[in-house]
């Protein structure tokens, strides 16, 4: 049974501050429960039970909040928490695992004396539908999905005091925690068995190993190397920043830089490298790793060995009277990096050691992912740089970070160099893909199909190659790439994310007015948001003025986040003003993408609330060659022109004989008229019908075609239509009775000024016709609206 609680009133969701109240998201679920709680409670007095419960729930909730988890519900003695439900940083699974490891130790410290409680923890990662407005502590039932049940089942099989993971969580935390496989579990209700791993601890900090050649970074490598050489030769410290988005190869470039700049003018360069992991154990923990690397220490060595190695590196650098105290301070720092006092004393000694080293040989202090560093580490680097500048030492600082992070370095004018790492070019990306495919033992043919999906990101290239032949992925995007995209999307505010999702549902460039129509906003509200997304590199603006998502992976993930009801509502709104056109597929498998095969179904075709598949006829998509849902099609064939006109109550549509024109199944005043019957009224009806189609629309008039109804004075577009609640706040019609009634023949604004359709006018002469108004087929309509040739 699915462990979830239905969301309450949808009215409450529509007034939330998020324009998108519900999203399909990949989250990590933690489920924790007390071992043997029934027997424990039976042995205790009710007052002791109350004290135990308060201490237990308070302790678990505090640990979960510290790791940015949201307590979704309490079920008896069990606690369920969500990570990444409201905002993802790309490390949701890691935070959940760290919280699970910390819960047991926190309970041992905080429970009443004489009481010992053991807890089982299960952690699972998967896709859910999240009610964003209700995602808060105690927001019961804010997430719905099978992964919640999976986490609960994993908890049941966990050993007392242990944390077990599903396969998806194991992949997400690979290299960051130590884990070992357990026996495969067969869970009731699941067709396939579950592979389970138990977490044994946090992995020691190790720099990533890199193999193979580097593609497309020769210029950046040469620039950074030249800056280091200048710092050594001029004895003026320099700060070099390797700046690029996640996955752009910052760590790899740093690795190559260490190899490339090993000597300067014959003098060996001493590299001191530290890496900032996510959520380190202490503000200066990366500096402790730097000291270990400097002294050649490994984790698990005895305190005597640590002190002896530290004394060796201090020999000749510090006066003999200070070596013993300095070695002791650094040893304490390595043993307890979380201790603020020990960390401060150890950092001071480390700074002196680095400066003394620089008096005898060139020194480069490198910090990878410095944007994750705590303020204390930044202050350490700034003080080191300032003191080296005062003394005129041959020292350089190399830092890698993302483009959004800016390090304010006082007094470094002219001695700071930012080396940007842009996306790889097409040639270099293709070479990288062929190398990765060849190393994986695969044919290199899929490189051409993977090229546009990778978008010049080396990490994405590795992820797509590794995902070839793997199981289906949400949105057709590999897990590592999806985590990066999720973090980018969640850095946007609600309006920006809503606009990006709306644009992502379309495979074509969309004008600002179209996005506004989809969201129910004004164009003036939409345009500033679109420009901000362009500045952020998430959207690109076409020469025609329309907007499109800049990267395929971002488009797929953003579109996949929208629930089916929202995508259907978007399509319904667009049918009022234009043909819907191509809808972005909801899912595409990486293996099929590599083979150039699109297997995803259309993302909620317009006007339909069910999927197509399983042998059923695919749901029709307006403008895709089939009839528009809810609009009986009247197809007239004309050379190179095809129009689809829906029946209109009160309109006597009599189709006359015209060369090349045949009508079938026309509804005339509620009666089917025989096909091809001559009439004199065909000119006006045909002109009005085609003129109601927006310019440039292929496939005929849209479902939202507005034609005058005989004797009614109204229009089809002017009927009162109520949008469903619970989608977007702006998706409700502005008036209780529906949209304002428009004059006959007007089409709502989409991509610009609506065409004014009136009575037939004589065609303009060649000189009177404005530039670009001629149609390709040589046919000029009475209303002056060109029709794209079929």
């Amino acid at each position: 049974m699915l462990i979830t609680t239905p969301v309450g009133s949808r009215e409450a969701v529509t007034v939330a501050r998020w324009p998108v109240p519900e999203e399909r998201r990949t989250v990590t679920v933690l489920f924790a429960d007390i071992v043997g709680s029934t027997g424990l409670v039976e042995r205790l007095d009710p007052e002791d039970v109350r004290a135990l419960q308060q201490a237990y729930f308070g302790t678990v909730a505090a640990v979960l909040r510290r790791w940015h988890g949201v307590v979704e519900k309490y079920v008896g003695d069990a606690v369920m928490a969500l990570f990444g439900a409201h905002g993802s940083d790309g490390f949701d699974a890691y935070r959940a695992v760290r919280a699970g490891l910390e819960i047991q130790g926190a309970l041992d410290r905080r429970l009443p004396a004489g009481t010992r409680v053991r807890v089982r923890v299960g952690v699972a990662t998967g896709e859910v539908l999240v009610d964003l407005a209700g995602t808060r502590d105690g927001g019961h039932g804010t997430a719905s999905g099978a992964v919640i049940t999976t986490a609960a089942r994993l908890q049941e099989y966990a050993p007392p005091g242990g944390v077990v993971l599903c396969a998806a969580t194991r992949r997400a935390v690979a290299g960051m925690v130590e884990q070992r496989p357990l026996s495969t579990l067969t869970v009731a209700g699941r067709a396939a068995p579950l592979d389970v791993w138990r977490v044994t601890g946090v992995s020691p900090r190790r720099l990533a190993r890199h193999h193979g050649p580097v593609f497309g970074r020769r210029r950046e490598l040469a620039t950074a190397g030249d800056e280091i050489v200048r710092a050594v030769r001029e004895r003026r410290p320099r700060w070099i920043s390797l700046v690029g988005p996640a996955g752009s190869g910052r760590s790899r470039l740093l690795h190559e830089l260490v190899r490339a700049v090993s000597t300067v003018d014959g003098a060996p360069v001493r590299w001191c490298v530290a890496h900032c992991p996510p959520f380190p154990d202490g503000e200066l923990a990366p500096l402790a790793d730097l000291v270990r690397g400097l002294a050649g220490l490994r984790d698990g060595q005895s305190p005597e060995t640590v002190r002896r190695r530290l004394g060796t590196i201090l020999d000749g650098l510090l006066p003999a009277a200070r070596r013993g105290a300095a070695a002791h301070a650094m040893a304490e720092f390595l043993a307890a990096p979380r201790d603020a006092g020990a960390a401060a004393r150890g950092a001071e000694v480390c700074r002196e050691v680095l400066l003394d080293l620089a008096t005898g040989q060139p020194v480069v202090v490198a910090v990878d992912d410095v944007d994750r560093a705590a303020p204390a580490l930044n202050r350490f680097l700034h003080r080191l740089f300032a003191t080296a500048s005062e003394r005129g030492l041959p020292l350089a600082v190399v830092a890698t970070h993302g483009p959004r992070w800016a390090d304010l370095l006082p007094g470094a004018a002219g001695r700071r160099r930012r080396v940007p790492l842009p996306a790889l070019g097409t040639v270099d990306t293709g070479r990288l893909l062929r190398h990765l495919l060849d190393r994986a033992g695969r044919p290199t043919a899929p490189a051409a199909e993977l090229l546009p999906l990778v978008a010049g990101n080396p990490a994405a290239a590795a992820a797509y190659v590794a995902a070839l032949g793997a199981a289906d992925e949400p949105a057709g995007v590999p897990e590592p790439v999806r985590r990066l995209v999720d973090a980018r999307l969640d850095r946007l505010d609600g309006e920006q994310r809503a606009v990006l999702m709306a644009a992502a549902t379309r495979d074509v460039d969309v004008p600002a007015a179209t996005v506004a129509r989809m969201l129910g906003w004004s164009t003036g509200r939409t345009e500033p948001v679109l420009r901000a997304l362009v500045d952020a590199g998430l959207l690109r603006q076409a020469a025609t003025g329309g907007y499109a998502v800049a990267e395929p992976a971002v488009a797929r993930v953003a579109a996949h986040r929208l629930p089916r009801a929202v995508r259907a509502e978007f399509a319904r709104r667009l049918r009022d003003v234009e043909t819907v056109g191509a809808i972005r597929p909801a899912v595409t498998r990486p293996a099929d993408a590599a083979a150039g095969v699109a297997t995803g179904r259309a993302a909620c075709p317009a006007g339909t609330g069910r999927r197509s598949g399983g042998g059923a006829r695919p749901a029709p998509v307006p403008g895709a060659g089939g009839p528009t849902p809810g609009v009986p099609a009247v197809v007239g064939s004309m050379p190179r022109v095809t129009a689809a006109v829906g029946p209109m109550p009160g309109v006597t549509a009599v189709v006359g004989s015209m060369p090349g024109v045949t009508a079938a199944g026309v509804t005339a005043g509620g009666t089917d008229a025989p096909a091809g019957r001559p009439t004199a009224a065909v000119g006006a009806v045909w002109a009005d019908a085609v003129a109601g189609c927006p310019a440039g629309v292929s496939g005929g008039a849209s479902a939202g075609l507005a034609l005058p109804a005989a004797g009614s004075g109204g229009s089809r577009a002017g009927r009162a239509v109520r949008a469903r609640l619970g989608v977007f706040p702006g998706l409700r019609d502005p008036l209780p009775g529906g949209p304002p009634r428009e004059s006959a023949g007007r089409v709502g604004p989409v991509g610009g000024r609506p065409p004014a359709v009136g009575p037939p006018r004589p065609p303009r002469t060649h000189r009177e016709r404005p530039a670009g108004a001629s149609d390709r087929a040589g046919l000029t309509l009475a209303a002056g609206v060109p029709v794209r040739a079929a």
Side-chain angles (χ1 to χ4, degrees):
M1 179 182 296
L2 190 65
I3 300 180
T4 184
T5 303
V7 181
S9 171
R10 303 302 308 150
E11 295 282 356
V13 175
T14 60
V15 299
R17 65 185 182 91
W18 290 93
V20 186
E22 288 187 342
E23 288 185 11
R24 300 172 66 100
R25 302 179 64 97
T26 299
V27 304
T28 298
V29 182
L30 180 146
F31 213 95
D33 197 6
I34 297 178
V35 179
S37 59
T38 302
L40 178 64
V41 170
E42 287 181 352
R43 296 193 303 269
L44 297 177
D45 183 81
E47 295 184 16
D48 296 330
V49 172
R50 171 62 62 85
L52 174 63
Q53 288 178 333
Q54 290 177 341
Y56 167 70
F57 287 121
T59 300
V60 173
V63 172
L64 294 173
R65 283 194 295 268
R66 196 174 79 81
W67 288 100
H68 308 294
V70 175
V71 178
E72 205 261 7
K73 64 165 63 75
Y74 298 96
V75 184
D77 296 320
V79 181
M80 192 192 96
L82 305 175
F83 292 80
H86 201 286
S88 174
D89 59 359
F91 297 99
D92 308 321
Y94 178 69
R95 289 186 285 110
V97 173
R98 290 295 303 271
L101 291 173
E102 190 175 309
I103 284 175
Q104 191 63 64
L107 288 174
D108 291 341
R109 294 190 301 268
R110 300 178 186 177
L111 288 183
T115 304
R116 181 172 176 81
V117 171
R118 309 302 290 170
V119 175
R120 295 189 179 99
V121 178
V123 183
T125 301
E127 191 177 29
V128 297
L129 181 66
V130 180
D131 174 13
L132 296 178
T135 305
R136 59 187 180 274
D137 281 355
H140 211 56
T142 59
S144 302
V147 66
I148 298 174
T149 304
T150 302
R153 295 294 177 262
L154 287 174
Q155 174 271 139
E156 295 173 358
Y157 289 97
V163 179
V164 297
L165 317 175
C166 70
T169 307
R170 180 192 69 86
R171 291 190 297 268
V173 299
M176 293 186 284
V177 299
E178 300 289 347
Q179 48 194 311
R180 61 182 180 85
L182 299 178
S183 58
T184 302
L185 301 179
T186 301
V187 179
R190 289 182 61 98
L194 275 177
D195 294 329
V196 182
W197 283 260
R198 180 180 180 180
V199 180
T200 58
V202 180
S203 297
R205 313 298 179 219
R206 302 187 185 98
L207 293 177
R209 298 183 179 273
H210 302 280
H211 306 282
V214 178
F215 297 93
R217 297 296 186 213
R218 290 184 179 180
R219 179 178 301 177
E220 292 82 358
L221 183 61
T223 301
D226 290 342
E227 293 295 323
I228 295 175
V229 172
R230 286 186 60 187
V232 173
R233 289 176 177 172
E234 299 174 3
R235 299 184 72 85
R236 297 183 69 234
R238 304 187 72 83
W239 187 293
I240 302 100
S241 298
L242 306 179
V243 184
S248 60
R250 301 177 313 214
S251 301
R252 179 59 193 273
L253 188 62
L254 177 59
H255 175 80
E256 293 299 321
L257 195 59
V258 174
R259 296 176 54 187
V261 189
S262 58
T263 61
V264 175
D265 298 333
V269 177
R270 187 66 175 264
W271 281 84
C272 305
V273 184
H275 171 66
C276 295
F279 309 101
D281 292 327
E283 290 190 344
L284 292 173
L287 185 60
D289 293 335
L290 184 148
V291 173
R292 290 190 183 93
L294 192 64
L297 294 170
R298 299 187 306 272
D299 291 326
Q301 290 182 317
S302 64
E304 294 78 11
T305 303
V306 172
R307 287 190 176 87
R308 185 175 63 253
R309 291 284 184 88
L310 291 175
T312 302
I313 66 170
L314 295 176
D315 188 18
L317 295 177
L318 299 179
R322 294 194 55 208
R323 289 176 199 164
H328 179 72
M330 295 181 72
E332 282 188 336
F333 174 40
L334 298 184
R338 283 184 176 273
D339 187 331
R345 292 188 294 270
E348 186 63 27
V349 174
C350 182
R351 187 176 67 89
E352 294 182 22
V353 169
L354 293 174
L355 293 172
D356 289 341
L357 281 174
T359 59
Q361 69 177 119
V363 173
V364 180
V365 178
V367 181
D368 195 16
D369 293 325
V370 73
D371 43 358
R372 298 178 188 165
L377 183 56
N378 285 316
R379 289 192 297 269
F380 172 87
L381 294 174
H382 291 172
R383 288 190 60 194
L384 176 70
F385 187 83
T387 307
S389 300
E390 294 172 0
R391 299 182 185 180
L393 300 177
L395 181 142
V397 176
V398 180
T400 72
H401 56 81
R404 295 171 55 90
W405 188 79
D407 186 13
L408 302 178
L409 187 63
R415 293 183 292 118
R416 176 166 186 173
R417 182 64 180 270
R418 290 173 64 93
V419 182
L421 275 63
L424 296 179
T426 303
V427 175
D428 291 320
T429 305
R431 292 172 58 206
L432 174 61
L433 284 169
R434 288 191 295 272
H435 169 74
L436 293 173
L437 290 167
D438 183 68
R439 194 172 68 181
R442 295 181 176 273
T444 58
E449 284 75 22
L450 292 176
L451 192 63
L453 302 177
V454 169
N457 188 293
Y464 273 101
V465 170
L468 291 177
D472 292 356
E473 298 280 1
V477 177
E479 289 180 7
V481 180
R482 192 187 66 248
R483 287 195 293 269
L484 295 178
V485 174
D486 282 336
R488 292 178 65 185
L489 295 181
D490 288 341
R491 285 195 291 265
L492 304 174
D493 60 34
E495 289 193 349
Q496 290 175 339
R497 201 157 79 231
V499 169
L500 182 65
M501 288 178 175
T505 59
R506 308 273 291 165
D507 274 333
V508 295
D509 296 339
V510 290
T514 301
V515 178
R517 174 70 183 182
M518 297 168 73
L519 299 175
W521 295 357
S522 65
T523 305
R525 179 184 178 186
T526 307
E527 288 178 340
V529 181
L530 289 168
R531 289 194 295 269
L533 292 172
V534 171
D535 295 338
L538 292 168
L539 292 182
R540 58 172 176 80
Q541 189 169 14
T544 58
Y547 297 86
V549 182
E551 300 176 21
V554 175
R556 291 184 177 187
V557 174
H560 183 76
R561 279 193 177 193
L562 288 173
R564 295 193 302 263
V566 177
R567 293 197 293 263
E569 181 67 16
F570 282 170
R572 184 194 68 80
R573 289 187 162 229
L574 290 177
R575 284 202 310 275
D576 294 341
V577 288
E578 62 172 285
T579 301
V580 173
I583 303 294
R584 186 177 302 281
V587 178
T588 302
R589 294 184 300 174
D592 296 328
V597 179
T599 62
R601 291 185 293 269
C604 275
T608 173
R610 60 183 180 89
R611 307 178 194 169
S612 54
R617 176 186 296 180
V621 179
T628 303
V631 181
V634 182
V635 181
S637 60
M638 179 177 289
R640 304 186 64 184
V641 178
T642 302
V645 183
M648 293 156 290
V651 177
T652 304
V654 184
V655 179
S657 58
M658 179 181 294
V661 179
T662 304
V666 181
T667 302
T671 305
D672 290 341
R677 177 171 295 178
T679 180
V682 65
V685 174
W686 176 258
D688 287 347
V690 180
C693 178
V697 174
S698 175
S702 69
L705 182 64
L707 296 179
S712 65
S715 68
R716 185 180 182 88
R719 293 182 179 179
V721 180
R722 294 181 181 273
R724 69 190 64 164
L725 297 177
V727 183
F728 284 58
L731 287 187
R732 291 181 293 178
D733 292 327
L735 299 178
R741 300 177 68 86
E742 298 179 349
S743 60
R746 290 189 62 86
V747 180
V750 176
R753 187 175 182 180
V757 180
R761 295 181 298 178
R764 300 173 185 234
T765 62
H766 179 70
R767 292 183 179 180
E768 295 172 341
R769 181 177 303 173
S774 61
D775 58 81
R776 304 179 192 175
L779 175 65
T780 303
L781 301 177
V785 180
V787 176
R788 182 179 298 172

